Amino acid sequence: VRALFKTAVRDPNPVIFLEHGALYNLKGEVPEHEDLLPFGQAAVRREGKHVTLISYSRMAQLTMRAAEQLAEQGIEAEVIDLRTLVPMDEDTLVKSIAKTHRAVVVTEESRTCSVASEIARRIYGLCFDDLDAPVELVTGPDTPLPYARNLERQWAPEETAIVNAAKQALHRTTPGGVVVPGGVYA
């Protein structure tokens, strides 16, 4: 965040820099002499070979925890933190999906007309032949974000939904209803 903010401040063009309020209490090391981080460079937070989990902001934290749960079950998920949406690092997406052949997009917003649907559209446009299963979306429902904290917690995606979406991407059913691991139809 620090390096991206420094890049935003020094950019001569208008930049919209949004921070998620729920990340303010996160604790961790802040590099002392971190250089500028160019826009449009996603970070591969975890290497994997079975499914690609794509997110940004607060959902990147949840996605990492979901990937740890999946690893306990023998599913190695690659986690991509987009970091910036415009420009979006399409090269990292393409490389990861060429390796895993499956994608789950995780965002904290409504599904319709969302960043999640735009990411999925780009994946289909760039990687259609590499996909072995439909792109799964993990988002909030198509309703306004509730103001009450207890309702907001129920509205926002959670780790269990990410784990289930990854499993759905890995297991497809044939027209006869037989589950075939890996998305290959017999």
Side-chain angles (χ1 to χ4, degrees):
V1 172
R2 180 180 178 186
L4 281 173
F5 187 71
K6 286 168 69 174
T7 302
V9 168
R10 293 188 174 124
D11 195 300
N13 300 305
V15 175
I16 298 173
F17 190 91
L18 300 174
E19 297 175 302
H20 197 296
L23 295 177
Y24 289 159
N25 292 327
L26 268 180
K27 294 184 181 188
E29 288 187 37
V30 177
E32 192 83 20
H33 301 289
E34 191 170 26
D35 291 334
L36 301 178
L37 181 64
F39 296 140
Q41 278 190 357
V44 178
R45 300 285 183 205
R46 181 185 178 104
E47 294 284 336
K49 61 182 178 181
H50 296 123
V51 63
T52 301
L53 306 178
I54 304 154
S55 61
Y56 62 93
S57 192
R58 185 174 93 82
M59 289 295 109
Q61 304 296 318
L62 284 172
T63 302
M64 283 296 294
R65 291 199 297 263
E68 291 168 10
Q69 290 180 24
L70 288 165
E72 292 170 3
Q73 300 171 34
I75 299 170
E76 291 302 320
E78 183 148 300
V79 177
I80 296 176
D81 180 357
L82 291 174
R83 297 196 289 204
T84 63
L85 300 177
V86 179
M88 188 179 296
D89 186 354
E90 294 175 344
D91 292 338
T92 299
L93 291 176
V94 169
K95 287 176 188 171
S96 180
I97 292 166
K99 180 170 52 169
T100 66
H101 304 287
R102 291 163 185 81
V104 177
V105 180
V106 183
T107 64
E108 191 175 23
E109 60 196 357
S110 299
R111 180 174 299 229
T112 304
C113 300
S114 64
V115 172
S117 59
E118 173 62 17
I119 295 168
R121 185 203 63 78
R122 290 186 190 199
I123 290 169
Y124 282 122
L126 297 166
C127 309
F128 185 78
D129 291 335
D130 287 325
L131 290 170
D132 287 343
V135 176
E136 298 290 334
L137 300 180
V138 179
T139 65
D142 280 337
T143 62
L145 174 64
Y147 182 74
R149 184 72 182 130
N150 61 329
L151 295 176
E152 182 183 344
R153 283 191 193 114
Q154 292 179 1
W155 183 91
E158 57 184 23
E159 292 167 39
T160 305
I162 300 168
V163 169
N164 290 340
K167 289 179 179 179
Q168 177 68 24
L170 288 164
H171 300 286
R172 298 276 122 206
T173 58
T174 64
V178 179
V179 174
V180 181
V184 179
Y185 293 97

